[in-house]
Amino acid sequence: MEPVSVVFKVYCLSVMTMVAATYTVVLRYTRTISSTAMYFSTTAVCVTEVIKLFLSLGMLTKEAGSFGRLKASIVEHVFQCPKELLKLSVPSVVYAIQNNMAFIALSNLDAAVYQVTYQLKIPCTALCMVLMLNRSLSRLQWLSVCMLCGGVALVQWKPAEATKVQVEQNPFWGFMAIAIAVFCSGFAGVYFEKVLKSSDTSLWVRNIQMYLSGIVVTLAVVYMTEGTQVIQKGFFYGYTPWVCFAVFLASVGGLYTSVVVKYTDNIMKGFSAAAAIVLSTVASVALFGLQITVNFASGAMLVCISIYLYGLPKQDTTKLPRADKDAKQKLITV
């Protein structure tokens, strides 16, 4: 992790927290409260991929330093590497499923409940890291994973209700959508990390490879699921400034996470996730009339604590203090 000032770390933390909290609240608003015609969620996912592609191209341009180097890099890693595009199509498909599940989840669950439950991505990612990258978790991390699952179970035992939401909702389908989304998030994130570490190819080149595949996949999803309606009403039917804002947040959120990962540590990321839960809860009470129950409050608290514990650095047990070594040596000699 590169050394940076505390001010910059706080800035990264603040922006990531606001993006995470605002995205869930705005998306929830567009799916339940907004009085305009309902837009097609699949088209929003597709537009998000297009915006991410252009943002990644901009970052690669800055990294390359000149248009000539940019062109050479794209030709070498995109047009001359079909195998790499095929390799990155795996997380593209998985992320497409995840992003579409987020719309289903937020159509059926409150933003705060979604924010808490979505933290199940931590144990899913941990499991994928153990199985795919041969990583190990400390006892404290396993304990925090169990605490997190317990906290989510409390929140979902009797989901908090929002009195200002008039549309029909199905909490069970909302939870199932989140379950699929967190599994997709864990698998795709670890798979992408494995691909990144398998070569010295630039992060932005890998992003471009993935988003090109993502655009093809999400376009296919649009026309397989809502093709007839999209052709009749238009690709951008039902889009409002709030929908555009949600798409923008989804686009910059994923790319900004890579910057945060580079310049901050796990404790700060955990604090950001906990702060996003608090902000989402406050916004849900104000906008959607969320009624906070004892189960929700207790579960959210458990989740916040578990996120903090999971992010604590591992202790190096291979290096014993001098006193412990001397004591151990005396026991051996006796």
Side-chain angles (χ1 to χ4, degrees):
M1 189 172 65
E2 297 182 17
V4 292
S5 67
V6 176
V7 174
F8 183 74
K9 286 186 177 182
V10 172
Y11 163 75
C12 289
L13 174 70
S14 302
V15 174
M16 187 171 75
T17 302
M18 291 303 299
V19 168
T22 307
Y23 170 69
T24 55
V25 172
V26 171
L27 187 55
R28 171 70 171 172
Y29 175 81
T30 63
R31 303 301 293 179
T32 58
I33 300 294
S34 182
S35 57
T36 56
M38 186 59 67
Y39 61 98
F40 304 115
S41 60
T42 52
T43 64
V45 174
C46 184
V47 173
T48 299
E49 294 297 302
V50 174
I51 295 174
K52 285 181 180 178
L53 175 63
F54 281 104
L55 290 174
S56 296
L57 279 170
M59 295 303 296
L60 183 61
T61 303
K62 182 180 178 182
E63 185 177 83
S66 67
F67 181 76
R69 291 180 181 176
L70 172 66
K71 182 180 177 181
S73 181
I74 292 176
V75 170
E76 178 185 356
H77 295 289
V78 177
F79 295 105
Q80 296 179 353
C81 291
K83 289 184 178 180
E84 294 300 307
L85 284 175
L86 186 62
K87 186 189 296 184
L88 269 298
S89 67
V90 175
S92 296
V93 172
V94 178
Y95 276 131
I97 296 171
Q98 175 197 338
N99 293 331
N100 279 287
M101 288 299 106
F103 280 87
I104 296 175
L106 282 165
S107 298
N108 291 282
L109 292 173
D110 184 80
V113 176
Y114 170 88
Q115 193 73 260
V116 173
T117 311
Y118 191 66
Q119 301 310 314
L120 283 174
K121 65 183 180 181
I122 293 176
C124 286
T125 303
L127 183 62
C128 289
M129 287 170 62
V130 170
L131 296 176
M132 298 170 63
L133 300 179
N134 294 321
R135 299 270 182 87
S136 61
L137 300 181
S138 66
R139 290 181 181 179
L140 182 62
Q141 285 178 315
W142 281 117
L143 173 63
S144 65
V145 165
C146 293
M147 285 179 59
L148 192 147
C149 293
V152 171
L154 274 176
V155 170
Q156 287 293 333
W157 185 261
K158 189 178 180 182
E161 296 181 356
T163 57
K164 295 181 182 179
V165 175
Q166 303 300 326
V167 298
E168 185 178 353
Q169 300 176 98
N170 189 324
F172 174 76
W173 285 116
F175 177 74
M176 292 303 297
I178 292 184
I180 296 171
V182 296
F183 175 78
C184 291
S185 174
F187 172 79
V190 174
Y191 182 95
F192 188 59
E193 180 182 345
K194 191 171 184 179
V195 171
L196 278 178
K197 292 183 177 180
S198 65
S199 69
D200 295 328
T201 307
S202 165
L203 167 65
W204 303 114
V205 169
R206 289 301 192 187
N207 278 338
I208 289 170
Q209 292 171 335
M210 185 167 64
Y211 296 144
L212 281 171
S213 302
I215 292 171
V216 174
V217 170
T218 52
L219 270 177
V221 172
V222 169
Y223 288 102
M224 282 192 301
T225 58
E226 299 171 316
T228 305
Q229 295 183 44
V230 169
I231 292 172
Q232 290 177 349
K233 299 180 179 180
F235 195 86
F236 297 101
Y237 175 78
Y239 274 56
T240 65
W242 285 112
V243 176
C244 295
F245 187 43
V247 169
F248 170 76
L249 290 173
S251 303
V252 300
L255 294 177
Y256 197 84
T257 300
S258 62
V259 177
V260 172
V261 169
K262 185 176 181 179
Y263 292 114
T264 65
D265 54 30
N266 283 329
I267 296 177
M268 293 191 74
K269 286 184 288 182
F271 180 80
S272 173
I277 290 173
V278 174
L279 290 176
S280 297
T281 302
V282 173
S284 294
V285 171
L287 295 175
F288 310 119
L290 177 69
Q291 296 178 330
I292 299 178
T293 62
V294 174
N295 279 1
F296 176 84
S298 303
M301 182 66 70
L302 266 180
V303 168
C304 291
I305 294 172
S306 65
I307 292 172
Y308 171 76
L309 293 177
Y310 186 86
L312 289 176
K314 290 183 180 180
Q315 292 184 347
D316 189 357
T317 56
T318 61
K319 297 180 180 179
L320 293 172
R322 181 67 185 175
D324 290 347
K325 286 184 177 180
D326 292 342
K328 189 176 182 180
Q329 186 63 35
K330 287 179 181 179
L331 288 172
I332 294 173
T333 55
V334 171

